[in-house]
Amino acid sequence: MNPVYAQARRAADWLRTRIPLQPETAIVLGSGLGELVEAAHPQWRIPTHMLPGYPASTVEGHAGLLSWGHLEGIPVLFVQGRVHFYEGYSIQEVVYPVHLLHALGVRNLILTNAAGGINPLFHPGDLMLIRDHIAFGFANPLRGIESRPYRRAAGSPYDTAWSEALFSAALREGIPLREGTYLWTQGPSYETPAEIRMFRRMGADAVGMSTVPEAVQAHHYGLRVVGLSTITNLAAGLSPHPLKHEEVVAQGRAVREKLSRLLRRFLRSVSDPPA
Ligand code: HPA
């Protein structure tokens, strides 16, 4: 068995003795979005370093916590402990949280992130629904695990029905929601202006350093995946001043109220039986 998965299974067994409920839905929170958890008045939080094998989070804006609460009465497991490839972990370790969620029985996964806007119509503070992605990080967590091209890899990992539900929720909340293709780079360097010009020609609308490995792994498990990017900045070369991580974190905080409203409305709509 994949050793990372084996550890995540052990962590799930340990956690299950502490979580009374079966979580159906999990939200992975991106840079500066961690405070969204407060809205759910979490019943408990566990530092991720207590879980066997959970890679330590080394990035500002990522607390290294797993929390359990209710949003709109719906039980949600929050992951504030994203692992990035640029932190030096293997691509298998990067998807440890997805292994853990799968082992816990999670079926729906909402991936959020901070991203740079490439689409010229995008502004900092916009939200973008991820319709599809480009794996420009050139690593795949299924490598060596799946020896044949995996059949699900043929389509976009992002669930169409839930993506439409997110759009409807945004419309009803009066929140403008962009949509587009998210391009993943390894980082940790931000891109050069020349790279951004290339990415734009390739069809990317936003760029970031996370989400894609998780979406690939979750899709492989058959989880329902949706992705939301917070456009925290204009990508390199599109703004007159150089980009800083603090700006990404600060802008993430600024839009969290909007994101929180959107997610609440969305969760309500997908959990209500159709009228
Ligand atoms: N590039 C890469 N990752 C990012 C950016 C960016 O401009 N903004 C937030 N995450």
Side-chain angles (χ1 to χ4, degrees), residues 31 113-117 182-183 185 187-191 196 207-210 230-236 243 245 248:
S31 293
N113 63 40
Y182 174 87
L183 183 143
T185 68
S189 316
Y190 285 115
E191 304 69 41
I196 294 301
V207 59
M209 304 175 194
S210 68
T230 293
I231 306 298
T232 50
N233 58 279
L234 298 181
L243 175 62
H245 183 61
V248 170

Side-chain angles (χ1 to χ4, degrees), residues 142-161:
L142 307 181
R143 180 172 183 265
I145 308 288
E146 278 300 324
S147 53
R148 287 167 297 143
Y150 193 65
R151 65 185 160 78
R152 283 214 186 91
S156 161
Y158 307 92
D159 186 79
T160 310

